[in-house]
Amino acid sequence: MASEQGTNSAPLLVLHKVAEILNCFSVAEPEPTLQQIIRRTGLPSSTCQRLVQNMVREGFLDREGDRYRIGIGMVRWAAPGTLGLDLVKLVKPVLQQLRDETGETACLYVRDGAFRTVVAVAETRHVVIRPFMVGMVMPLHAGAPGKIFLAHDPDAWSSLSESQMSPFTPATPVSFDILRKQADEAKEQGFFAAFGERNEDVGSVAAPVFDHAGRLAGVLGLGFPTQRVTPADVPRLGPLVARAAAAASNALAYQGAGG
């Protein structure tokens, strides 16, 4: 590692250490302890503790007991880079209403290449849940939201063609023919439902959100454990998700009646 001597290198080294600390947080392990952060970064204990305390003070991290998690300040700063803070603000009430109406977790996704990223969440109040968090990244080819992107965003296909479509479960579609049929179905009915494509015990229902120019702005979806929601619930949930997506589109000044 380069010396910390000199005015030019020291700030860069501090940023590198901050990045190493942030890399200790993941969807699988969102709340490490200080000792876990110290071990994972390999930083001296005193240095790591000082940086973590400063990061809490500045909003990069939040502390709950002896555990830390990504701070609400970091989430707030990240939102404009992924979608636009105004869009998240406009759609969040719709997510909360859909959550209250269905009892399941409602999410807003944007596309980044062959992946979709959660940029807003209204989490279910059920005890049994599948966690969905802001910043969570998932592949386009698995799950209902990805089919909506493929149905309404032509660039999604070119991104998908350059990626590897890995099978996560026996139900994961890895054929372009199957995906095109699913995308056509999603466009025709205004929503799409998928079960067990990314995780065997998780299902989703999704619908498109359009902006004022009629472009796909994002995808609104429900995520749920399949022990609570089954394909028999789709005729009830599908139209509810589609109506919520239409309400989100209206909030973005969309005037049309389709994609």
Side-chain angles (χ1 to χ4, degrees), residues 37 53 84 138 147 177 179 194 254:
I37 295 172
Q53 289 174 345
M138 289 160 274
K147 312 310 163 53
D177 288 339
L179 285 170
Y254 175 60

Side-chain angles (χ1 to χ4, degrees), residues 6-182:
T7 58
N8 292 329
S9 62
L12 294 178
L13 286 174
V14 171
L15 288 175
H16 178 69
K17 292 172 183 176
V18 168
E20 288 183 320
I21 291 172
L22 291 174
N23 284 334
C24 295
F25 298 83
S26 67
V27 172
E29 296 184 77
E31 297 184 341
T33 64
L34 178 61
Q35 291 305 312
Q36 289 173 322
I37 295 172
I38 292 171
R39 287 197 300 271
R40 292 171 189 174
T41 60
L43 295 171
S45 178
S46 59
T47 299
C48 189
Q49 184 173 8
R50 184 178 68 254
L51 285 172
V52 167
Q53 289 174 345
N54 287 336
M55 291 170 72
V56 170
R57 188 176 302 115
E58 296 298 328
F60 286 81
L61 300 177
D62 287 335
R63 180 179 179 179
E64 295 181 9
D66 64 344
R67 293 189 173 274
Y68 296 84
R69 63 182 301 119
I70 296 297
I72 191 65
M74 184 72 87
V75 174
R76 186 178 67 250
W77 297 325
T82 55
L83 180 60
L85 188 58
D86 289 342
L87 182 53
V88 173
K89 282 185 173 180
L90 289 169
V91 175
K92 192 64 182 285
V94 178
L95 293 179
Q96 293 169 340
Q97 183 175 346
L98 181 62
R99 182 270 315 278
D100 293 343
E101 190 173 11
T102 64
E104 305 300 336
T105 297
C107 300
L108 178 67
Y109 301 84
V110 295
R111 184 179 68 85
D112 182 12
F115 297 89
R116 51 190 170 96
T117 301
V118 178
V119 294
V121 178
E123 192 172 70
T124 178
R125 298 187 176 93
H126 284 294
V127 175
V128 178
I129 68 170
R130 290 294 303 191
F132 290 86
M133 290 173 283
V134 170
M136 200 170 177
V137 178
M138 289 160 274
L140 279 185
H141 69 285
K147 312 310 163 53
I148 302 298
F149 283 110
L150 293 172
H152 297 278
D153 183 354
D155 290 339
W157 287 105
S158 58
S159 295
L160 194 61
S161 66
E162 298 170 359
S163 70
Q164 182 178 359
M165 295 191 297
S166 301
F168 298 97
T169 73
T172 306
V174 293
S175 159
F176 277 95
D177 288 339
I178 294 176
L179 285 170
R180 290 193 184 280
K181 289 179 181 178
Q182 291 179 326

